[in-house]
Each structure stands twice: as structure tokens, then as C-alpha cells.
Amino acid sequence: MRIRIEATDLPGRTCPPGDGFPGYSGIHVGVQRRDRPGEILDLQPGDAATAQWTLDCTVTTTAEGAADIRGPYVQGRPGGRFVYLCWGTLDAAGGFTMFRRAKLMLDRLEPDLIEAAIGSGTLVGRLGLTDAQGRPLCAAVRPPVIAWSPAP
């Protein structure tokens, strides 16, 4: 199975400072590889109209009978799996410096949804990436902020 993240409403390449937020420029976002925090998949500019990432994964069944999604970009322990979207700045030399992350939680996916995604081959997560303050979305992200569905 694959996980495809489809993002819209990116915050821009520059976010000004304000209320506990220092402000950044050169903003980009990508998916962090498990156990390799410096390895970010497919960086996208913060002012892109849309961004998309496709992640290979496998689904196994735990001893308790629950689905367990694993893969190189799936983080966390069984029952608490998630995907990290990392926000950072990209300097002129191409160096990425992370400043915040969004944790796309997989822990509340219904068994029927997972089965349908296995059948279609892809679990799709759709979300906007700008928070209520106009900054890059961060923290734990669950429905309704992200909408999970099987690919058609």
C-alpha cells in the first residue's frame, strides 16, 4: 500500500514574526524519514500552489488484530503511528534547517478505511498547510484537519 499526502493552502516562503513565532524566510516542507531526522523527502517550497508526497508502506496485523502501518517514512510505535511533515528554511547552498513539524496521525484510522485503502492500493490524506495564524501548520494533525480516504 502507499500513503499519498495531498496538501493545499501552503503558507508562503516567508512568514513574519509575531506572538512567540520568530518569523522565517526560505520556507520549505517535506516528509521526514524514520530514524533519520536529517533526511527529508521531496522538499516543496512554502509558496507552492499544492504539494504531494507518495510513501511506500506495508500493513500488517498486530497480535490484537489491529492494522499496523509501517514504512520508511512512518514514525512511532504500533497504535501511535504517524508521518512527520517538516518545515524548515532552505539556504542558498541548499542547506535545510528545520523549525517545526506537523505530525499526521494514523492512530484513529477506522479498520474499514484501512481495508478500502489496501484494496485501492493507496491511502490519501488531504489537508491545508496553513494554520489559523497564517503560519506553517504544526502539532498533531487528525480529522477534521486532515481527511483520510482510499484512492478512487
Side-chain angles (χ1 to χ4, degrees):
M1 187 179 83
R2 292 182 173 188
I3 296 173
R4 185 171 67 235
I5 301 164
E6 298 177 355
T8 58
D9 190 31
L10 280 78
R13 281 202 201 200
T14 302
C15 287
D19 197 28
F21 184 78
Y24 296 94
S25 60
I27 295 172
H28 285 69
V29 61
V31 178
Q32 181 180 321
R33 187 176 175 100
R34 184 186 72 247
D35 297 328
R36 297 183 192 169
E39 190 173 322
I40 308 297
L41 176 69
D42 201 14
L43 281 174
Q44 300 292 313
D47 61 353
T50 63
Q52 182 173 293
W53 300 270
T54 301
L55 315 172
D56 290 323
C57 60
T58 59
V59 181
T60 60
T61 304
T62 66
E64 296 78 27
D68 185 27
I69 301 172
R70 297 177 180 201
Y73 294 92
V74 177
Q75 314 261 353
R77 298 176 187 257
R81 302 278 192 211
F82 59 91
V83 173
Y84 266 139
L85 286 184
C86 292
W87 292 100
T89 58
L90 196 62
D91 63 27
F96 181 79
T97 304
M98 183 179 64
F99 64 83
R100 68 174 17 173
R101 296 187 286 197
K103 202 175 193 181
L104 309 183
M105 302 304 298
L106 303 170
D107 61 344
R108 295 195 186 148
L109 298 176
E110 295 293 328
D112 291 347
L113 171 60
I114 295 171
E115 286 302 317
I118 291 169
S120 75
T122 306
L123 174 66
V124 180
R126 292 180 181 92
L127 75 161
L129 291 182
T130 300
D131 70 12
Q133 290 78 40
R135 300 176 184 143
L137 181 70
C138 67
V141 178
R142 292 184 173 92
V145 176
I146 186 167
W148 293 107
S149 64

